[in-house]
Amino acid sequence: GIVHRLDKDTSGCLVVARHDAAHVALASQFAGRSLEKVYRALVCGAMPSDAGEIRAAIVRHPSHRKRMAVTEGSGGREAWTSFRVEERFRGAAHVTATLHTGRTHQIRVHFQHIGYPLVGDETYGKRANARLEEQTGFRAERQMLHAWQLVFTHPMTGRRLEFEAPPPEDFENAARRLRQGRAPD
């Protein structure tokens, strides 16, 4: 079975266990945060810093039950994302984000919380994406989030394994179009 999930419209690496014992062992690595999950994302806006951390608890949104939100009070689940800007574009940036926790919509919610929602994310960044489209003429068909790298311990051999999935064509095309700073042909 599938050991962890990706949000709808997120591309990239998944872990699938071939039997129950492997599934239990891999799930415990996810729960124990002993594996590494690294994502690539395109975000709206001109990020001022080259790197940073977002430590903000996440809860289910009080009025939109399919969304999550950052909570300033108690009751949320701890969530921690670190990031590094890889490239800056006109009105957007390409970032690498490392998840230290694994909450529903974590990257999407965290980047929206700091004012830089994901390119193409209509749930958490509708207004920012409208501004980006006004600036560049570009509008993504999906959120530009890609599970780029997974590092974990093989449940049977104990070997440390590292997997990478190259970003799909639509992600690369979005980066290329944003790099050009103009509308797609």
Side-chain angles (χ1 to χ4, degrees):
I2 295 175
V3 180
H4 70 113
R5 305 180 316 121
L6 293 178
D7 292 347
K8 181 182 179 210
D9 292 333
T10 297
S11 57
C13 291
L14 275 177
V15 177
V16 179
R18 291 178 48 185
H19 50 76
D20 287 342
H23 192 280
V24 168
L26 289 166
S28 74
Q29 287 184 57
F30 275 87
R33 303 178 189 161
S34 63
L35 51 76
E36 297 172 41
K37 299 175 280 186
V38 183
Y39 288 71
R40 296 288 178 115
L42 301 177
V43 298
C44 297
M47 296 188 79
S49 59
D50 291 334
E53 291 188 346
I54 308 164
R55 289 180 182 248
I58 295 177
V59 295
R60 185 149 312 273
H61 194 283
S63 57
H64 301 285
R65 302 304 294 160
K66 292 187 177 185
R67 292 179 59 179
M68 305 303 283
V70 164
T71 180
E72 301 300 333
S74 62
R77 296 183 71 196
E78 172 198 5
W80 174 21
T81 306
S82 58
F83 67 88
R84 182 180 67 244
V85 175
E86 301 294 337
E87 186 176 4
R88 296 176 192 282
F89 311 118
R90 180 177 167 214
H94 179 189
V95 299
T96 297
T98 301
L99 289 180
H100 303 281
T101 55
R103 307 292 175 235
T104 301
H105 298 179
Q106 181 173 323
I107 291 172
R108 298 167 65 196
V109 171
H110 271 175
F111 278 97
Q112 184 266 338
H113 175 66
I114 65 168
Y116 304 97
L118 271 59
V119 171
D121 191 342
E122 290 296 311
T123 301
Y124 295 102
K126 195 171 202 148
R127 277 181 274 188
N129 276 282
R131 277 193 305 276
L132 181 64
E133 186 175 14
E134 278 179 25
Q135 280 185 307
T136 65
F138 176 73
R139 186 164 198 88
E141 296 294 317
R142 68 169 180 96
Q143 73 225 11
M144 292 291 111
L145 181 60
H146 177 71
W148 174 55
Q149 186 178 66
L150 277 173
V151 181
F152 58 92
T153 302
H154 190 283
M156 302 302 132
T157 67
R159 282 189 22 234
R160 196 78 171 149
L161 302 174
E162 181 176 318
F163 297 94
E164 285 185 7
E169 189 173 327
D170 67 340
F171 189 99
E172 294 293 352
N173 286 340
R176 187 170 28 261
R177 289 176 178 161
L178 289 168
R179 192 175 293 119
Q180 294 168 350
R182 60 179 177 80
D185 295 333

